[in-house]
Amino acid sequence: MADPVRLTDPLQSVINPATAQGLADLGVYTVGQLLRHAPRRYVRRGQVSEDRLLPEPGEWITVVGRVTKAEFITMRKRHGKFLKVVVADERQTYDISFFNSNYLIKQLKPGTRVMLAGAVKYYNNRIQLAHPAHVPLPDGDVGFEEVTGPDMLAQALGIDPKLVEGDAGTAFLADLDRSILPMYPASQKVQTWQIWASIRDLLARVGEVPEALSDEQRSDRGLITLDDALWKVHLPDSDADVEAARQRLKFDEAFAMQLVLAQRRAVGRIESAPPCPPVAGGLEDALRERLPFTLTEGQEIVSAEIGDDLGGSSPMSRLLQGEVGSGKTLVALLAMLRVVDNSHQCVLLAPTEVLAAQHHRTILSMLGDLGRAGELNGSDGATRVTLLTGSMRTAVKRQVLLDIVTGDAGLVIGTHALLEDHVDFFDLGLVVVDEQHRFGVEQRDSLRNKAIDGMVPHHLVMTATPIPRTVAMTVFGDLETSVLTELPRGRQPITTNVVPLGNERWMERVWARAAEEIDKGRQVYVVCSRIGDEESKAKSKGKSRTGGDEEPQTISVLDMYQMLSAGPLADCRIGVLHGRLPADEKAAVMDEFTSGALDLVVSTTVIEVGVDVPNATMMVIIDADRFGVSQLHQLRGRIGRGQWPGLCLLVSGAGEVSQARERLNAVAGSTDGFELARVDLEQRREGDVLGELQSGGTSSLHFLSLLDDVEVISDARELAEQIVTQDLSLADHLGAARLIDDILAPRLEYLDKT
C-alpha cells in the first residue's frame, strides 16, 4: 500500500517533481489544493470534447477524439517526411503534425481513440496542433495494444510507472476507460492526464478528509460529504455524480471566503474609532452652502449613510462605488470635512502621482478659501490641504511632513509615500482610499497603525469600477456598500464606435475628426497600451501568454506621438504622458492639458481615473482589444465632462467574429457601467477577475459563479457569521479552518486587497 499523505503536504514531496512544478505554476502547491483543482469540463464517450467552436490562436487546448487518417507527408522545403494525423470529435476536425516520430504510426492508427494537448494554430481555417502531447486511450481493442505495458503506458502518460504496475495498472486502465473523463486546467508543463493520475493516486492515499459541515448543516442544504464530493468530481460514474460534487464544492468555496470576511467583520466590531457627529456651522456646512449646484438624490443618500457610520464609535468600513463622474469625490470630501470639524485629520490615498495631484487640484478648487488655512486669503476656520508624493523635493517634503505631524494639515492627499514609517499624523480620524484594489492589506494597516490612543481611523473605499452585487458580497464582503448610479445634471452623452485598425481610409477619418475637434477649441486624448521605450519593447517580445507565437506588436505612445507630430496633426500642440516620466514632467503635462496649452495628449492608462478636463471631448483608444470592458469604460469617462458631447473611438485589429470584438461592441453599445461590469464578468469569468485581485494569480473559484450563485453566497455568509460569532479563531471548527487553507491559501492575498 502506498504511503499515506496529509492535506497539508507539499506536492513536491508526494508526487512527481516535474508534475508538482507544473502545478505550482498553476497556483496549486499542496495535496488539499490539488484535490480541489477542479476539472474544467468532462468528455463523455461519444460526445464532443470542446465547449467552443473556435478556440483562440495560441490557446492551450486538450482534445479527445478518434484518429481518422494517419500518413507520412513529404516536406517541400527540406528533406524528409512528417506524420500527419487527422483527429475528429463530433464537432471539430484537427490536423496534427509530428516530426521525426516514425514510431507513432503504430500508436496512432485510424480508429484509435486519443487525447491530445497543444497550442492552437490555424491554416486554411482548420485547427492545427504541431507535435502535441498525446496519449492513446483504451477503447476495446482498437489501437491501444502498443501501450498496455506499465512502462510504455507510464511513458505515454508522462507519469510514475509505480502508478500503473500490477493491480494498480489494471485499475488505472479501467478508470482511463471510463465513459466520463475529466479535463483539467493544464499547461505546456503539465498535461490534464498527468494531473488526473496524480489526483487519483492521492485520493487513495489521503484517507477521509475532515468535514467543515455538520450532518445537520449538510442535510439542510442537501449536500453530500466532502469525501464523497472529491471522489465524485474526479472519478464520476454519472452526470448525477458530477452535479452532486459540484453543489458541495461550490458551497465550500463560498463558505471559505465568507468565513474569512466574517472574521474581519468581527475584529472590526471590537475596535474603536473617534465618533464624528455633524458640527453645525463647520466646514461641511460651509461647503454645502457654497456649492453652485444641488447634490443628486443618490449623493444625499450616500452622504447620510457615511454620516451615520462616522457618528458611531465603531470604525466605518464602507465601499463607495459608482459610475464614472457620479460625484464620489464630492461625497468623500464632505465626509472628510465632517471629520476635520471634529478636530481629526483625514488622508486620501491614491495609487498614482497623476491621480493624487488631480485630487489635490480638485479639492483645492472645491474648497477655495476654506482650504487655505494660515494664508492671507484663507477664511476663518479653514483647514490646510497638503500633497505628499515620493518624488517631491526634500525641502518641500520636509515642510509637508511637519504640517502633518503638527496637525496643521487637516486634509492630506498622497500616494504610497504616505505609508512610509517616517510619516506621522497628529490625530488621524479617516482614511479614504481611491481605487482600493491597488493597495494591499499591509499598506492599509500601516495607516491604521498611525492613529493614536488605541483608536483606529474610519475607512472609506472608493472605486470607479462598478461591481455587481454578488462580486461585492464576495470580494468586499467585510465592507458595507454604498452605490452612486445617478449622474450629476449636465453630464454630456458619449458616442462610442469601433474602428478597424487595418483600414487606411477609416484611420485617416479618425485623425481628421480629431483635427475638427481641436479646430473648435476642444481637446483630445489618444490612449495606447504601452510606452514604447526600450524596456517596454523588450518586455513585449517573446512567446504569448497562451503558449503560441509572438503576439502582434501594438502601437506605443512614443510611436504614436512621432506619427501624429509628423503627419495628420503636425500643426497641433501634442504632449506625451506615461508612468515612467519624472513626476514633475507628468504634472507639467497634465497642467498644460488642463489649462488648454496642449490640444492633444498621447497617454497610457495613467489618465484612467480621476483626471478631469471638461474641455476634452474626444478619445481615441489604440489597440482597444488589449483592454478590459471596465477599463475601457473608465477611460471613456474622461470625456464628456463639460458642456459638449463626447466621442470615443475604439481602434482595433481584432477580427469581426472574436471575443475581443464582442467586448468592444458591448462598450460601444452601452454607457451603463454596471451592465458593462456584468458583461465583463460573463466574458472573462470569475477566474480572471479574481486573478487580477490576486496580483495575477490563479482564481480560487472553480465551481462558484459570482454572477449566478447569489443564494449560495448569501447562505454561506449567514452560516459563516453564526460560526465566527461563537468561535472567532475557528479553534472548535477545525474542518472550517482546513477549508480556508485548502481553498484560499496561499491566495488570501486577493482578500487582503479589499
Side-chain angles (χ1 to χ4, degrees):
M1 182 177 176
D3 294 334
V5 295
R6 297 172 299 177
L7 293 173
T8 53
D9 286 344
L11 291 176
Q12 286 283 359
S13 66
V14 296
I15 67 172
N16 179 286
T19 302
Q21 182 56 55
L23 286 164
D25 293 343
L26 296 174
V28 180
Y29 303 94
T30 69
V31 171
Q33 289 165 11
L34 179 54
L35 294 185
R36 290 182 178 276
H37 186 67
R40 174 173 290 161
R41 68 184 192 281
Y42 295 86
V43 175
R44 293 156 178 84
R45 193 189 303 278
Q47 295 185 17
V48 295
S49 61
E50 281 297 306
D51 294 330
R52 288 180 294 148
L53 287 175
L54 293 175
E56 296 287 336
E59 182 179 349
W60 191 266
I61 64 170
T62 301
V63 175
V64 173
R66 198 173 296 278
V67 176
T68 61
K69 181 189 291 187
E71 60 181 343
F72 285 106
I73 304 294
T74 301
M75 290 183 280
R76 296 178 181 177
K77 296 185 179 181
R78 58 180 180 173
H79 179 72
K81 298 180 179 182
F82 70 94
L83 178 62
K84 179 180 179 181
V85 178
V86 179
V87 173
D89 59 22
E90 294 186 11
R91 181 176 291 171
Q92 293 288 348
T93 298
Y94 307 85
D95 292 340
I96 317 297
S97 301
F98 293 99
F99 299 91
N100 302 318
S101 301
N102 293 343
Y103 68 94
L104 289 178
I105 193 69
K106 296 181 180 180
Q107 290 185 11
L108 301 176
K109 292 184 291 189
T112 303
R113 188 165 173 254
V114 65
M115 190 186 308
L116 310 111
V120 170
K121 294 183 180 180
Y122 283 93
Y123 181 72
N124 288 338
N125 293 321
R126 287 171 66 93
I127 299 175
Q128 311 275 312
L129 297 176
H131 214 93
H134 64 283
V135 58
L137 294 176
D139 187 33
D141 296 327
V142 180
F144 200 67
E145 62 274 7
E146 299 295 335
V147 292
T148 52
D151 290 338
M152 295 190 70
L153 178 57
Q155 181 180 0
L157 291 171
I159 62 176
D160 188 338
K162 293 179 181 178
L163 299 182
V164 292
E165 290 177 346
D167 292 341
T170 302
F172 193 97
L173 285 177
D175 282 341
L176 200 58
D177 198 24
R178 284 171 173 267
S179 60
I180 302 178
L181 279 177
M183 298 286 106
Y184 295 89
S187 70
Q188 190 170 4
K189 288 185 179 180
V190 58
Q191 306 305 330
T192 187
W193 49 83
Q194 294 168 320
I195 296 171
W196 178 77
S198 298
I199 289 173
R200 184 183 173 282
D201 172 52
L202 293 174
L203 278 172
R205 297 166 59 189
V206 76
E208 188 171 348
V209 295
E211 260 294 345
L213 302 176
S214 68
D215 291 344
E216 181 181 359
Q217 289 165 348
R218 285 192 295 100
S219 177
D220 289 345
R221 294 165 176 81
L223 300 174
I224 62 176
T225 66
L226 178 55
D227 193 60
D228 282 347
L230 293 177
W231 278 92
K232 288 181 177 181
V233 78
H234 298 298
L235 294 165
D237 292 320
S238 65
D239 289 342
D241 282 352
V242 174
E243 181 58 25
R246 283 184 176 278
Q247 291 303 319
R248 170 57 202 264
L249 298 173
K250 175 189 293 188
F251 185 85
D252 280 2
E253 289 178 350
F255 190 35
M257 284 185 286
Q258 294 304 328
L259 283 167
V260 172
L261 296 171
Q263 287 176 316
R264 286 209 193 151
R265 290 192 296 271
V267 170
R269 289 192 290 267
I270 297 172
E271 297 173 324
S272 297
C276 296
V279 176
L283 290 171
E284 181 186 6
D285 286 349
L287 178 60
R288 281 179 172 271
E289 291 172 3
R290 296 183 178 198
L291 290 176
F293 51 83
T294 303
L295 294 183
T296 67
E297 182 181 0
Q299 286 175 312
E300 290 286 11
I301 291 172
V302 170
S303 291
E305 292 172 345
I306 293 172
D308 287 344
D309 289 349
L310 291 176
S313 58
S314 295
M316 174 177 69
S317 292
R318 184 167 289 275
L319 169 66
L320 172 57
Q321 60 167 319
E323 272 289 9
V324 177
S326 58
K328 294 182 296 296
T329 302
L330 176 56
V331 170
L333 177 57
L334 290 171
M336 289 190 283
L337 292 179
R338 178 171 300 190
V339 173
V340 172
D341 284 341
N342 282 271
S343 302
H344 306 292
Q345 292 171 291
C346 301
V347 159
L348 174 54
L349 184 63
T352 67
E353 292 193 351
V354 169
L355 183 53
Q358 176 70 43
H359 277 312
H360 186 242
R361 286 192 295 268
T362 300
I363 288 175
L364 281 176
S365 175
M366 286 180 175
L367 290 177
D369 59 353
L370 297 175
R372 293 194 287 264
E375 300 180 31
L376 291 176
N377 57 351
S379 68
D380 293 339
T383 189
R384 182 175 300 175
V385 184
T386 192
L387 175 68
L388 180 66
T389 65
S391 61
M392 280 181 164
R393 294 192 304 273
T394 302
V396 176
K397 185 180 293 186
R398 186 179 297 117
Q399 182 59 52
V400 169
L401 292 174
L402 182 61
D403 290 343
I404 295 173
V405 74
T406 59
D408 289 343
L411 300 181
V412 182
I413 302 165
T415 59
H416 293 77
L418 287 168
L419 307 175
E420 296 175 4
D421 290 341
H422 63 270
V423 180
D424 294 313
F425 290 82
F426 180 73
D427 186 2
L428 182 59
L430 171 64
V431 176
V432 180
V433 182
D434 199 9
E435 294 305 303
Q436 164 73 2
H437 61 276
R438 305 193 190 188
F439 296 94
V441 68
E442 298 87 356
Q443 295 165 325
R444 181 178 70 183
D445 284 347
S446 70
L447 279 176
R448 291 166 64 90
N449 294 334
K450 293 178 184 291
I452 61 173
D453 297 333
M455 295 279 185
V456 299
H458 297 284
H459 195 74
L460 178 65
V461 173
M462 295 197 299
T463 177
T465 303
I467 302 169
R469 186 170 73 93
T470 46
V471 178
M473 284 175 60
T474 304
V475 181
F476 295 95
D478 59 336
L479 305 177
E480 298 298 325
T481 302
S482 295
V483 180
L484 287 172
T485 56
E486 183 182 1
L487 295 181
R489 283 182 289 276
R491 185 54 53 90
Q492 300 300 316
I494 301 172
T495 301
T496 305
N497 293 305
V498 181
V499 179
L501 181 59
N503 190 312
E504 214 170 296
R505 184 171 62 86
W506 276 97
M507 291 308 300
E508 289 176 358
R509 179 57 188 147
V510 167
W511 304 125
R513 186 70 181 80
E516 291 170 9
E517 288 296 302
I518 292 170
D519 288 344
K520 294 175 183 176
R522 299 165 197 165
Q523 292 164 281
V524 177
Y525 295 102
V526 177
V527 180
C528 300
S529 61
R530 62 187 182 89
I531 299 171
D533 53 15
E534 288 184 1
E535 181 179 350
S536 290
K537 289 179 180 177
K539 288 182 178 179
S540 70
K541 292 180 180 178
K543 295 293 181 181
S544 73
R545 291 175 303 226
T546 51
D549 292 337
E550 290 187 5
E551 295 181 342
Q553 188 74 308
T554 54
I555 301 173
S556 70
V557 166
L558 300 183
D559 290 342
M560 179 58 64
Y561 172 76
Q562 293 293 337
M563 188 272 286
L564 294 179
S565 298
L569 300 176
D571 296 332
C572 300
R573 300 167 297 176
I574 304 176
V576 169
L577 184 65
H578 59 74
R580 275 201 286 273
L581 286 175
D584 55 347
E585 290 186 33
K586 284 187 286 190
V589 171
M590 276 310 305
D591 286 342
E592 287 183 279
F593 192 65
T594 302
S595 68
L598 290 176
D599 301 312
L600 182 150
V601 63
V602 184
S603 173
T604 58
T605 56
V606 294
I607 54 95
E608 179 182 349
V609 290
V611 175
D612 187 6
V613 181
N615 194 48
T617 56
M618 182 175 175
M619 175 175 288
V620 182
I621 304 178
I622 305 297
D623 297 309
D625 50 284
R626 293 303 179 102
F627 304 96
V629 169
S630 294
Q631 190 173 33
L632 290 171
H633 184 57
Q634 295 305 316
L635 288 166
R636 176 174 60 183
R638 299 308 103 206
I639 58 176
R641 304 174 75 87
Q643 55 183 305
W644 301 284
L647 173 63
C648 180
L649 300 179
L650 308 176
V651 180
S652 170
E656 289 190 20
V657 181
S658 66
Q659 284 194 354
R661 180 57 71 90
E662 287 181 15
R663 192 164 65 242
L664 300 182
N665 290 340
V667 176
S670 177
T671 55
D672 184 336
F674 284 88
E675 174 59 28
L676 290 175
R678 184 176 181 87
V679 170
D680 197 17
L681 195 58
E682 285 176 341
Q683 189 175 79
R684 294 194 294 153
R685 301 310 300 169
E686 293 87 348
D688 294 326
V689 174
L690 290 177
E692 289 178 0
L693 291 171
Q694 292 164 209
S695 302
T698 55
S699 169
S700 308
L701 301 187
H702 301 297
F703 302 97
L704 187 71
S705 167
L706 299 186
L707 279 176
D708 303 327
D709 292 324
V710 60
E711 292 183 3
V712 176
I713 294 170
S714 297
D715 183 22
R717 181 185 177 104
E718 184 177 336
L719 179 59
E721 189 70 33
Q722 292 173 5
I723 290 174
V724 169
T725 299
Q726 301 166 2
D727 181 17
L728 176 59
S729 67
L730 301 180
D732 297 326
H733 294 79
L734 297 181
R738 179 74 255 155
L739 198 69
I740 294 172
D741 289 340
D742 291 342
I743 293 177
L744 299 180
R747 304 188 187 114
L748 282 172
E749 181 183 359
Y750 98 82
L751 285 171
D752 289 339
K753 299 284 184 183
T754 61

